[in-house]
Amino acid sequence: MRIYRIAAIPGDGIGTEVVAAGVEALTTCAKRDGGFALAVDHFDWGSERYKKTGAFMPENGRDLIKNHDAILFGSAGAPDVPDHVTLWGLRLAICQPFDQYANVRPTRILPGIVSPLRNVSGPELDWVIVRENSEGEYAGVGGRAHRGLPEEVATDVSIFTRAGVTRVMRFAFALARSRPRKLLTVVTKSNAQRHGMVMWDEIAAEVAAEFPDVMCDKMLVDAMTMRMTLKPQSLDTIVATNLHADILSDLAAALAGSLGIAPTANLNPERNFPSMFEPIHGSAFDIVGKGIANPIGTFWSGVMMLEHLGEPGAAARLMRAIERVTADTSLHTPDLGGNARTADVTRAVCETLAGDNQA
Ligand code: IPM
Ligand code: MG
């Protein structure tokens, strides 16, 4: 029996609710499969811990999880802690040292879910956004001087390295190649940002030569928002910088029906460190404790985790269960316009999994 060690970090807000649901679904999935089991360790890292101890995670936190096979993350963010403190204290404190440089965000309109775009359903919107996840606008370089004075200055410097851009570009081309349409769109803003973004375009052209079977086109990020909205069927795999892809992936999630269903994988493709899987939605303090958080984003992230662990059969089974459940609108949570509760959706996914007789 294969045993995978999973570090569960629910974090803040509805993170605790959806990670609990995710662990339940993944455990059911493992039982149904029979070939593997999950050993889940829970870590209480997050804003509550920060408020009590001054740190989101213990000093040796990364050592505690560096040998796990994967990380299941909930969300980070609390109303009474500044967002940049949370982000750098927890999520980026894991992503960056663990070199999870490829952030993968699939978007599809799942059965039963209605896109806000008129006349757009399933096959017309099937994208994967690859977000550079280690540098760029999130490099953390910059500073502030003369605080509070009229001459105060602040800078945030984007860092683009040839090594960083090349590796994420190769990852994106390889991912595009693995999908039926073999189509990659490279997003930049190389008209206005004439250094780093121009280097992105140049490196894209170099890497494209290594993947002659992948069709590749270029978009400026502003025009990309229009293309995503007006011609969704013209896109397949998309690669963009850390910030551009952050913005585009929220747009993508909204066009696919809800942020509540959108998953993410923060991958270290070389597997030198564990990769981290999380729903895109945040901690959603407005609905905390109500039991109505949509667990589908976490379940779909679980699918990506199972694929990464090398369990494609179980991954496909969990995805099928998700799609069976979203197809039933009586199982939609309020973000999708329904009345279902987290527990209803979780139970339905687990029952569907248990009853799935496909290989
Ligand atoms: C995301 C989120 C985060 C980000 C926030 C919570 C800091 O928006 O994962 O897309 O900007 O990276
Ligand atoms: Mg975002």
Side-chain angles (χ1 to χ4, degrees):
M1 167 94 83
R2 301 176 293 282
I3 307 227
Y4 301 112
R5 287 187 69 199
I6 309 300
I9 308 175
D12 302 329
I14 60 167
T16 50
E17 302 168 38
V18 294
V19 166
V23 168
E24 199 179 324
L26 282 163
T27 307
T28 307
C29 197
K31 280 209 189 96
R32 160 62 187 81
D33 186 90
F36 69 96
L38 303 174
V40 183
D41 295 318
H42 288 268
F43 296 88
D44 67 343
W45 304 348
S47 298
E48 284 312 313
R49 193 181 184 284
Y50 171 75
K51 283 185 265 177
K52 274 190 230 125
T53 70
F56 287 85
M57 60 161 114
E59 211 157 312
N60 66 339
R62 281 187 301 272
D63 290 335
L64 299 177
I65 57 173
K66 71 167 191 269
N67 294 319
H68 282 70
D69 295 299
I71 304 164
L72 183 63
F73 190 85
S75 71
D80 48 356
V81 181
D83 285 338
H84 66 278
V85 173
T86 329
L87 176 65
W88 286 92
L90 191 56
R91 198 169 156 277
L92 291 184
I94 297 172
C95 284
Q96 295 200 348
F98 281 175
D99 213 14
Q100 295 164 348
Y101 63 83
N103 181 271
V104 181
R105 303 186 159 192
T107 311
R108 273 194 291 129
I109 303 175
L110 298 183
I113 293 179
V114 181
S115 168
L117 293 176
R118 249 180 302 133
N119 306 325
V120 172
S121 61
E124 287 107 19
L125 197 164
D126 183 353
W127 304 333
V128 188
I129 298 179
V130 177
R131 169 179 180 182
E132 200 296 316
N133 210 33
S134 68
E135 53 176 40
E137 308 86 347
Y138 284 58
V141 177
R144 275 173 82 170
H146 314 304
R147 275 189 190 244
L149 300 177
E151 55 273 28
E152 180 167 1
V153 294
T155 59
D156 278 292
V157 181
S158 300
I159 302 290
F160 300 103
T161 65
R162 175 165 280 279
V165 178
T166 306
R167 66 184 184 174
V168 80
M169 203 60 80
R170 286 210 174 102
F171 180 91
F173 270 94
L175 181 64
R177 172 182 272 170
S178 75
R179 290 168 53 86
R181 292 176 69 190
K182 300 192 197 309
L183 170 64
L184 178 69
T185 301
V186 179
V187 177
T188 63
K189 185 67 189 172
S190 53
N191 54 350
Q193 295 177 297
R194 57 190 179 158
H195 308 294
M197 295 287 79
V198 174
M199 186 178 79
W200 262 73
D201 282 347
E202 287 170 14
I203 292 174
E206 288 166 26
V207 175
E210 299 170 20
F211 293 84
D213 54 330
V214 175
M215 262 212 318
C216 167
D217 62 3
K218 280 196 317 189
M219 287 300 290
L220 297 172
V221 65
D222 49 348
M224 183 65 173
T225 60
M226 287 208 294
R227 182 162 161 197
M228 287 168 71
T229 314
L230 300 178
K231 287 192 183 160
Q233 64 288 348
S234 73
L235 295 162
D236 187 78
T237 310
I238 297 157
V239 63
T241 71
N242 215 330
L243 181 63
H244 289 165
D246 173 45
I247 298 164
L248 295 181
S249 59
D250 266 28
L251 175 60
L255 297 180
S258 170
L259 198 55
I261 60 172
T264 308
N266 299 278
L267 298 179
N268 172 249
E270 289 74 28
R271 295 171 189 261
N272 298 325
F273 301 97
S275 293
M276 181 159 89
F277 302 82
E278 54 168 345
I280 288 190
H281 64 68
S283 40
F285 269 85
D286 52 328
I287 59 163
V288 168
K290 294 189 177 160
I292 55 169
N294 192 343
I296 296 288
T298 307
F299 296 162
W300 195 347
S301 303
V303 172
M304 301 181 84
M305 175 188 284
L306 292 170
E307 282 165 356
H308 182 75
L309 292 172
E311 298 293 346
R317 229 173 270 130
L318 180 53
M319 196 67 220
R320 274 201 298 277
I322 290 170
E323 291 182 315
R324 285 272 294 279
V325 167
T326 60
D328 179 349
T329 53
S330 78
L331 290 168
H332 284 189
T333 42
D335 57 298
L336 294 170
N339 304 313
R341 306 178 58 78
T342 313
D344 303 327
V345 183
T346 308
R347 196 181 318 111
V349 164
C350 290
E351 282 171 9
T352 309
L353 272 171
D356 183 335
N357 295 323
Q358 264 175 265

